[in-house]
Amino acid sequence: MKLKQAVTGIAALACMTTAAHAQSAGSFYVTTGWFHLAPQSSSDPLKVTSIGGSPTNITEANTGASLSSADTIGFTAGYFITDHIATEFVIGYPPSFDLEGSGSLSQFGKLGQAKQWSPTLLFKYYFNAPTATFRPYLGVGVSRIWFTDEKITNGVFEANVLHGPTSVSTDSSWEPVFNAGFTYAFNQHWFAGVSVSYLPLSTTAKLSTAANTPVGTLNVQSQTKIKLNPIVTYVNIGYRF
């Protein structure tokens, strides 16, 4: 009986040691899961900045736009620097956002769309012991944001408001990221997690239009500042090495 108890105790100690190693300094992990991006968006009125090469400052009153929510698959890879501090790289397949008209532009519905890229580097502080099943954390980091495939998709809006074929470009930027979440360990390797992040993000959309006018086709430059400020949730499953 004593031998059996000793063997059981050694086995339990070995499992605890393995689990501690898997969640402690020097260990790597990867996750995959689902991102939901919910922009808390608004925009400045559309402003015409140039007509035929001549600078202007014309504000189109009661015009605006907002962005739809989006979902995409995500991946992370992380490393525990200490038992409580980890660094993590985050990337997702670029989600596509719809640009919806607001104010006097709401009658047009969807105006355009764009894909967002936002690779992120986080530093996270984990609470509780490395062997704990439940580990909440707080994180902060930085994200590089840019957009691709920006385009106007609403022909009626393009013809009646912009008055001609229009191309769109957007600014890229570095933005801070604030993050909180938790992991739940099933064993020394597999775990699940949930996190919420906030990015105070804005971008300037610049429009270049070949406008049809009484004096012929003129290049019209206009722009609007769009505040996205997305709240990003991430539900995932991970593996620790």
Side-chain angles (χ1 to χ4, degrees), residues 33-59:
W34 202 252
F35 281 112
H36 178 73
L37 298 90
Q40 313 302 298
S41 59
S42 62
S43 76
D44 294 342
L46 186 67
K47 180 182 293 185
V48 180
T49 59
S50 172
I51 299 176
S54 299
T56 61
N57 187 20
I58 302 171
T59 299

Side-chain angles (χ1 to χ4, degrees), residues 18-19 22-23 29-30 185-191 238-241:
T18 303
Q23 301 183 58
Y29 64 89
V30 293
F186 301 116
N187 54 44
Q188 64 266 36
H189 293 296
W190 291 98
F191 64 93
Y239 185 86
R240 292 188 182 93
F241 297 91

Side-chain angles (χ1 to χ4, degrees), residues 166-202:
T166 300
S167 61
V168 184
S169 63
T170 51
D171 292 337
S172 58
S173 62
W174 292 94
E175 302 293 346
V177 181
F178 304 97
N179 174 256
F182 67 86
T183 61
Y184 183 90
F186 301 116
N187 54 44
Q188 64 266 36
H189 293 296
W190 291 98
F191 64 93
V194 176
S195 71
V196 179
S197 299
Y198 174 73
L199 290 78
L201 167 63
S202 63

Side-chain angles (χ1 to χ4, degrees), residues 77-96:
Y79 175 75
F80 275 88
I81 302 169
T82 71
D83 288 353
H84 295 279
I85 298 174
T87 181
E88 181 176 285
F89 179 72
V90 185
I91 193 167
Y93 183 82
S96 181

